Amino acid sequence: MGGLQDRVSLLKRISSDIHEEVDNHNRMLDRMGNDMDSSRGVLSGTMDKFKMAREFLSKWGDLSQTQIFAKIEMLRA
């Protein structure tokens, strides 16, 4: 009977460990999901800025990178 009780105790511990591991993974996945949502917001904002910059620069026509930087510096002054 002692062997059976030992096996049952072992199965209970294993079950408890699996439950704890699943909970830990679920928390980790929730954090990852939240981080991805935050990243999506940042990337969306960056893409909007790139679109605005592209629209703004397209008004100047076909300029070289140096010419674009020169015009930006003139606007800053």
Side-chain angles (χ1 to χ4, degrees), residues 23-76:
D23 284 346
N24 289 337
H25 280 101
N26 283 336
R27 280 192 295 277
M28 180 184 66
L29 290 171
D30 285 342
R31 284 192 306 270
M32 286 176 60
N34 292 338
D35 290 346
M36 292 179 88
D37 288 342
S38 296
S39 297
R40 185 179 300 119
V42 170
L43 288 174
S44 177
T46 301
M47 289 302 297
D48 290 344
K49 289 177 184 176
F50 273 120
K51 288 176 189 174
M52 288 175 16
R54 186 183 64 218
E55 290 170 8
F56 181 73
L57 293 174
S58 69
K59 296 175 186 175
W60 289 342
D62 191 23
L63 300 176
S64 71
Q65 186 177 9
T66 304
Q67 291 170 317
I68 291 170
F69 286 137
K71 286 195 176 274
I72 291 171
E73 288 302 316
M74 286 175 23
L75 291 173
R76 286 184 180 174

Side-chain angles (χ1 to χ4, degrees), residues 9-30:
S9 294
L10 176 63
L11 286 174
K12 284 182 179 181
R13 281 196 309 271
I14 291 172
S15 175
S16 176
D17 290 346
I18 290 171
H19 179 73
E20 184 178 338
E21 190 71 20
V22 167
D23 284 346
N24 289 337
H25 280 101
N26 283 336
R27 280 192 295 277
M28 180 184 66
L29 290 171
D30 285 342

